[in-house]
Amino acid sequence: MGSPKAAKSMVKHAIWRRRLGAPLAAVLVILAVFMFSGQLAKGPNGVEGSPNKEDLAIATPDQELYTGNTELKQASQAVGKGGTAAPAQEGEVRTVGSEPLEKESPPQYPEGEEATVQSVQQCTDCVPTTPNICTVLDQESKGSVPYMKCTPQNGTSICDLSNQRFDICELCGDARVTGQSSTVIYIPQHRASSSEEWSIRAQSRKSLPWIKKVSVKILNASQPEPRCTSRNAMPAIVFSLGGFTGNVWHDFSDVIVPLFLTAHQFDRDVQLVITNNQPWFIKKYSAIFHHLTRHSIIDLDADDQVRCYPHVIVGLRSHRDLGIDPNSSPQNYTLMDFRLFVREAYGLPAPQVDIPYRTDEEDDPDKKPRIMLIDRAKTRRLMNLPDVMRGFDWFGFEVVKADMRVDSNFDEFVHLVDSCDAIIGVHGAGLTNMVFLRSGAVLVHIVPYGIEFMADGLYGASARDMGLKQVKYSISPDESTLLEKYGLNHTVIKDPEAIRKSGWEKLGELYMSQQDIVLNMTRFGPSLLRAIEFIM
């Protein structure tokens, strides 16, 4: 037990420890509270201000609330033990202070699609005079990719209506897309006393009156701001699926190529907002849409939200029919880039893989080059198809006959095209499927009488720009059913140029709708031989 003197000394030391320890503990607690409250006063991106529902909702659907801010998450968990802000379990309502934050529903992709969850790290040290560079963490690649945000330009109109093909508006800063009203509102940093407004058809064919218009408004100083119901860190593109969609050439020329030009720069970190929505279109080309965006697709006409973005593009850029002009693209995209993008989207062999015939020739000496025949059903038909098929066999081709009415699974059809060394058909939308051929494959283009002038612009130039070989065969009047119908001396046969000058309606009615073809295989033979030379 020790001596009484020693025991008295121990009691005195304990009293002094208590006297000194209590104030010291109080000071430490005050410092801890001060440091924690200073951290809590910063939002999840390190920006001063109390966290609120809109700020914390800056995320892709299904994103974790505290993604990218480990310190704040740990602090919140510590506070949770005291009953203030415990982290929610999956499926529960998250709370910050007294305001609930409901977990967003997962994005609704077309059938068979899945969205990829990503985290977004906001810029906190961007220089205002230069484009902001933020980091997007792509969990598929487990790495980061640069995302360039646009910078508001003072004194520059946000809408450009000068192009003959398309109108486009680009809003950098506070842009708010209001569903159902088809309106995009821009709130500039310095609001003027007057407002501006544009109404554009948000597609590459602005002349078509049945494409629904989207209004773009700049608010003035006196106009109220619509409250954001959804805040997003990614940019958005607002465009239309109206027009001539449903024809595969127009699908690609009017929508898919322009969408690639406009959206591919964002490396899938962009939200697509669609008016004139066509659900079948998104389902049919779901592989392409999934390769353009990792976010849910919004049907603008059915949306009841006010969605806020730091960058919105209204409309689609377009250069020419089924084509890309690298000099007109800030990213210097080419049609070859587009074709390789499509191949990647559908999981087709890499660019360096040769056409099927060359790849398999050594393993199978008797292998024939494979050619896909596009069989038209209504107009510009091959009337002597059995003779044509026998001719293909005689020249040494294996023929794959394509009929999209039967080949309804588009993804399977894409892989079927990829298995061919060439594609052949009469001038028409089905030739657009050449986009799924490999580099060095051949397009054999049969051109009906009277439309020679449009053949190269709609298909030939595109084929060359995609790295394909082209064989063009223009039929003679003897191979056209128009000769029997109108006679040798009629203007339709004697002077197609005169018909052309009378306008597109007459031209289309005669040469596109009324004409079928009886192919002269003797005259056509050299074109097939040339195709074989390209393949071999």
Side-chain angles (χ1 to χ4, degrees):
M1 292 290 296
S3 67
K5 185 175 180 181
K8 188 175 180 181
S9 176
M10 290 175 65
V11 170
K12 287 183 178 179
H13 282 300
I15 292 172
W16 278 107
R17 280 200 302 269
R18 285 197 296 270
R19 288 176 179 176
L20 293 175
L24 182 59
V27 170
L28 290 175
V29 169
I30 292 171
L31 287 174
V33 170
F34 176 77
M35 292 176 66
F36 171 69
S37 62
Q39 179 64 36
L40 187 59
K42 295 184 179 181
N45 303 308
V47 181
E48 293 293 335
S50 60
N52 57 62
K53 183 174 181 177
E54 290 185 357
D55 291 335
L56 292 176
I58 298 179
T60 60
D62 233 13
Q63 181 182 333
E64 287 297 325
L65 179 63
Y66 300 109
T67 299
N69 199 321
T70 306
E71 292 180 0
L72 181 57
K73 184 174 182 179
Q74 292 173 343
S76 179
Q77 290 172 339
V79 173
K81 295 176 182 179
T84 305
Q89 300 300 317
E90 187 173 352
E92 294 181 346
V93 176
R94 297 184 174 99
T95 59
V96 178
S98 60
E99 187 175 9
L101 265 182
E102 294 186 9
K103 183 177 178 181
E104 291 188 16
S105 300
Q108 299 300 310
Y109 263 78
E111 196 174 313
E113 293 292 309
E114 292 183 1
T116 302
V117 180
Q118 64 165 1
S119 59
V120 180
Q121 177 183 326
Q122 289 276 70
C123 288
T124 57
D125 57 353
C126 298
V127 181
T129 56
T130 59
N132 295 339
I133 303 177
C134 297
T135 301
V136 176
L137 179 62
D138 181 358
Q139 293 186 352
E140 288 183 331
S141 61
K142 303 298 181 183
S144 61
V145 293
Y147 163 44
M148 299 296 293
K149 285 188 177 180
C150 62
T151 303
Q153 300 292 324
N154 294 326
T156 303
S157 177
I158 63 174
C159 290
D160 182 1
L161 314 183
S162 63
N163 195 285
Q164 292 184 345
R165 298 180 67 88
F166 66 94
D167 294 332
I168 198 160
C169 303
E170 187 156 7
L171 291 64
C172 298
D174 189 349
R176 308 187 179 191
V177 180
T178 60
Q180 297 181 342
S181 68
S182 295
T183 302
V184 181
I185 294 173
Y186 181 56
I187 305 172
Q189 292 178 340
H190 306 289
R191 292 163 68 174
S193 57
S194 60
S195 62
E196 291 184 85
E197 182 174 348
W198 298 264
S199 184
I200 71 170
R201 294 185 176 94
Q203 208 206 76
S204 63
R205 288 187 178 268
K206 69 180 187 180
S207 61
L208 298 181
W210 58 87
I211 294 178
K212 188 174 180 179
K213 289 186 175 182
V214 175
S215 297
V216 178
K217 298 180 180 180
I218 299 181
L219 290 192
N220 63 28
S222 62
Q223 292 173 315
E225 304 172 3
R227 182 181 180 277
C228 299
T229 60
S230 169
R231 280 192 182 274
N232 303 275
M234 82 291 280
I237 297 175
V238 180
F239 67 99
S240 171
L241 283 183
F244 291 129
T245 49
N247 172 296
V248 66
W249 186 87
H250 285 285
D251 291 351
F252 275 84
S253 184
D254 299 354
V255 177
I256 297 176
V257 173
L259 184 57
F260 168 82
L261 278 173
T262 311
H264 189 54
Q265 61 181 311
F266 299 114
D267 195 30
R268 296 184 67 229
D269 189 33
V270 62
Q271 188 150 58
L272 305 181
V273 183
I274 299 175
T275 185
N276 284 134
N277 188 31
Q278 309 285 344
W280 66 264
F281 190 101
I282 298 173
K283 182 176 180 180
K284 178 178 180 179
Y285 300 111
S286 60
I288 291 175
F289 278 99
H290 184 62
H291 217 56
L292 283 171
T293 178
R294 61 170 61 96
H295 302 288
S296 55
I297 296 173
I298 306 300
D299 183 346
L300 181 62
D301 302 329
D303 192 40
D304 61 357
Q305 302 291 313
V306 177
R307 300 180 183 272
C308 298
Y309 302 92
H311 182 188
V312 172
I313 297 173
V314 182
L316 298 176
R317 295 185 175 90
S318 177
H319 297 160
R320 62 174 186 266
D321 289 335
L322 197 60
I324 293 176
D325 178 10
N327 296 324
S328 300
S329 170
Q331 295 78 24
N332 301 117
Y333 291 139
T334 66
L335 202 58
M336 176 68 83
D337 293 327
F338 171 74
R339 189 176 67 81
L340 297 181
F341 159 82
V342 169
R343 293 189 65 78
E344 189 176 84
Y346 284 98
L348 300 177
Q352 62 269 24
V353 176
D354 218 332
I355 58 176
Y357 175 78
R358 295 176 190 158
T359 301
D360 301 334
E361 184 183 13
E362 294 182 2
D363 297 333
D364 184 4
D366 297 325
K367 180 178 176 61
K368 295 180 179 180
R370 205 171 195 214
I371 191 167
M372 173 173 281
L373 172 64
I374 303 296
D375 184 21
R376 295 184 59 83
K378 295 181 179 179
T379 62
R380 285 161 275 148
R381 296 170 297 169
L382 290 172
M383 303 302 292
N384 60 333
L385 187 58
D387 293 336
V388 173
M389 298 288 283
R390 283 192 293 270
F392 287 151
D393 182 66
W394 192 88
F395 277 98
F397 283 103
E398 177 192 348
V399 181
V400 177
K401 190 177 175 183
D403 187 343
M404 279 304 296
R405 295 168 299 171
V406 177
D407 302 320
S408 56
N409 187 314
F410 191 69
D411 286 26
E412 290 180 5
F413 178 74
V414 165
H415 284 80
L416 181 63
V417 177
D418 170 71
S419 73
C420 296
D421 305 286
I423 191 170
I424 183 171
V426 180
H427 182 96
L431 295 182
T432 311
N433 292 299
M434 65 183 174
V435 73
F436 306 116
L437 291 171
R438 302 185 192 182
S439 297
V442 184
L443 167 69
V444 182
H445 185 185
I446 300 172
V447 184
Y449 188 69
I451 62 169
E452 170 82 18
F453 70 95
M454 69 171 70
D456 197 67
L458 296 185
Y459 294 101
S462 301
R464 293 191 297 274
D465 288 348
M466 285 191 285
L468 306 176
K469 305 294 184 182
Q470 184 210 8
V471 176
K472 184 177 71 173
Y473 176 77
S474 299
I475 73 168
S476 67
D478 292 339
E479 297 171 279
S480 172
T481 57
L482 293 175
L483 178 62
E484 183 179 353
K485 185 172 184 177
Y486 289 97
L488 189 61
N489 295 320
H490 195 282
T491 306
V492 171
I493 302 299
K494 288 183 64 176
D495 194 1
E497 184 63 22
I499 302 295
R500 178 184 172 187
K501 289 179 180 177
S502 66
W504 168 253
E505 185 175 344
K506 194 68 175 176
L507 177 79
E509 177 191 346
L510 290 169
Y511 297 115
M512 302 290 281
S513 298
Q514 293 186 17
Q515 181 172 201
D516 291 318
I517 294 165
V518 180
L519 205 58
N520 184 329
M521 292 305 294
T522 302
R523 183 172 181 266
F524 182 56
S527 296
L528 287 180
L529 286 174
R530 190 179 178 201
I532 289 177
E533 289 174 1
F534 282 140
I535 293 170
M536 301 293 190

